[in-house]
């Protein structure tokens, strides 16, 4: 997969992986986006979320209630966006990837990358 990513041609626009062709069907059930553990851990604490993201080399970005952009590979950004929970809504983590990544990687490769990113976020 790494040999097939031309980071120069990846747009700066980030999208949910569900926006890729076939993404809505693929990213559910056993391939659901791996956000639950992060929502449980950080869903009420934006400061801790940002501290952990920065400890991984991430950069804070203006999204949601708090967000971190992590460079998974050179010029391949994964954004982890936190919407804090409150009395009305549960917390939510949104993951975004470059808009054209599915041209280079199959959806299962993107899913695997997101699993690695969220696992490292959880461990930090």
């Amino acid at each position: 997969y790494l040999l097939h990513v031309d980071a120069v041609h990846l747009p700066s626009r980030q999208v949910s992986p569900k926006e890729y062709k076939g993404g809505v069907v693929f990213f559910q059930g056993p391939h659901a986006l791996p956000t639950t553990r992060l929502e449980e851990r950080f869903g009420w604490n934006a400061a801790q979320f940002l501290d952990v993201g920065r400890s991984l080399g991430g950069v804070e970005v203006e999204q949601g209630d708090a967000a971190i952009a992590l460079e998974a590979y050179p010029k391949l950004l994964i954004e982890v966006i936190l919407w804090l929970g409150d009395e009305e809504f549960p917390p939510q983590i949104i993951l975004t990837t470059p808009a054209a990544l599915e041209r280079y990687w199959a959806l299962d490769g993107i899913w695997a990358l997101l699993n690695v990113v969220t696992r490292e976020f959880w461990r930090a």
Side-chain angles (χ1 to χ4, degrees), residues 4-12 73-76 98 100 103-104:
H4 295 98
V5 173
D6 186 355
V8 173
H9 293 101
L10 288 176
S12 60
Y73 298 105
K75 299 186 181 182
L76 196 166
R103 291 184 199 158
Y104 303 100

Side-chain angles (χ1 to χ4, degrees), residues 16-97:
S16 165
K18 291 182 178 183
E19 293 181 49
Y20 297 144
K21 184 177 179 180
V24 170
V25 174
F26 181 82
F27 293 108
Q28 61 180 325
H31 296 112
L33 293 172
T35 59
T36 304
R37 290 193 319 169
L38 297 183
E39 291 163 349
E40 291 169 356
R41 180 171 178 190
F42 301 109
W44 311 97
N45 192 334
Q48 182 187 27
F49 172 85
L50 291 172
D51 287 344
V52 168
R54 286 188 205 106
S55 77
L56 294 170
V59 176
E60 188 174 349
V61 292
E62 296 287 327
Q63 296 281 351
D65 290 318
I68 291 288
L70 297 164
E71 193 171 45
Y73 298 105
K75 299 186 181 182
L76 196 166
L77 293 180
I78 304 297
E79 289 181 349
V80 184
I81 304 165
L82 170 65
W83 291 96
L84 293 170
D86 60 23
E87 62 280 343
E88 198 172 343
F89 296 103
Q92 185 175 19
I93 295 278
I94 305 292
L95 302 171
T96 68
T97 55

